[in-house]
Amino acid sequence: MDTSAVYSIHEDGKEFYFYSKYAGGFSYPFEAAAYLSGLKSALRKPRTGKQDICAAPLLAQMKGTYFFPEALKDELLFQETTKEIAEDLEKEVPFSITVNVDQYTVAFHFNDGFEELEELKDITIPCYEPTDKCSGGYFRNESLARQMGESSVTFQETNEMIFRELIRQAITEQGQAQDQQITWGYYE
């Protein structure tokens, strides 16, 4: 599956745009969000003082880790771009991802021009919410737990499949919750 994506990063009231040939998909955006969150935390240390420093521009320096296919290990994953170019690219890539660094969320917009994504609705997912079954942290733990045995498929491929399954489930549950709210509102 094509995992190219356009990323919009929201941080401290600013927006930054990136293109990635490899970091779209279902699990990779959570890795990008964790990378930015770690950088943001490091930038808040006393040694940076009260400077207004955003972590988002550093996404261009993110390299592939063990969560990405072996061929991407130590390869740069992102190219900074402009809002206009990002908007044009959104028509050509399967994933448009929005990472909100301040709220620590990942939003997925699925390009329905790609057959394998056409039934998926847009969704925003918290990156880490320990009590929420619909969070990146839960998805990661679930994926790691399911992969404890041996498999003929690589860790990265299995991770993507599990994240896709869990995100589909979250979309379905979110749709049911919205339908229920509409029904309740109808009877009031």
Side-chain angles (χ1 to χ4, degrees):
M1 179 179 176
D2 182 356
T3 59
S4 60
V6 171
Y7 274 70
S8 172
I9 311 297
H10 299 262
E11 181 182 7
D12 295 341
K14 298 176 183 137
E15 291 184 355
F16 304 86
Y17 299 91
F18 295 87
Y19 167 75
S20 177
K21 187 174 180 181
Y22 308 106
F26 296 91
S27 66
Y28 306 138
F30 292 101
E31 292 304 311
Y35 176 80
L36 289 172
S37 178
L39 289 171
K40 186 70 172 179
S41 179
L43 291 172
R44 287 188 179 132
K45 302 280 184 194
R47 65 179 159 249
T48 60
K50 298 214 182 258
Q51 298 179 42
D52 185 21
I53 300 173
C54 288
L58 297 174
L59 188 60
Q61 296 181 37
M62 183 179 177
K63 294 180 180 181
T65 65
Y66 60 90
F67 279 98
F68 290 87
E70 184 68 29
L72 298 176
K73 188 172 191 299
D74 297 327
E75 293 292 321
L76 293 174
L77 300 174
F78 293 91
Q79 296 173 320
E80 193 165 5
T81 190
T82 64
K83 180 178 183 176
E84 294 75 25
I85 292 173
E87 287 172 348
D88 286 342
L89 286 170
E90 284 178 349
K91 301 170 194 139
E92 302 171 21
V93 299
F95 300 92
S96 294
I97 307 295
T98 301
V99 175
N100 187 314
V101 177
D102 304 317
Q103 295 178 2
Y104 201 31
T105 59
V106 171
F108 290 86
H109 173 73
F110 303 102
N111 184 339
D112 58 10
F114 288 77
E115 187 177 331
E116 63 272 14
L117 301 174
E118 63 188 359
E119 81 287 354
L120 296 176
K121 303 289 183 215
D122 296 352
I123 189 168
T124 299
I125 300 172
C127 291
Y128 184 74
E129 198 57 53
T131 59
D132 191 348
K133 280 181 33 176
C134 179
S135 77
Y138 177 85
F139 296 166
R140 176 183 269 185
N141 291 340
E142 181 71 13
S143 179
L144 293 173
R146 289 188 195 181
Q147 295 191 63
M148 293 301 283
E150 290 189 34
S151 174
S152 60
V153 182
T154 67
F155 167 81
Q156 296 82 5
E157 290 173 306
T158 305
N159 198 46
E160 271 295 289
M161 288 187 296
I162 292 170
F163 268 72
R164 180 186 181 118
E165 173 193 325
L166 294 170
I167 289 172
R168 279 178 176 264
Q169 186 177 6
I171 291 168
T172 301
E173 289 172 9
Q174 185 181 59
Q176 291 170 347
Q178 287 174 346
D179 290 346
Q180 193 173 36
Q181 285 177 339
I182 290 169
T183 303
W184 281 108
Y186 177 75
Y187 290 111
E188 293 179 340

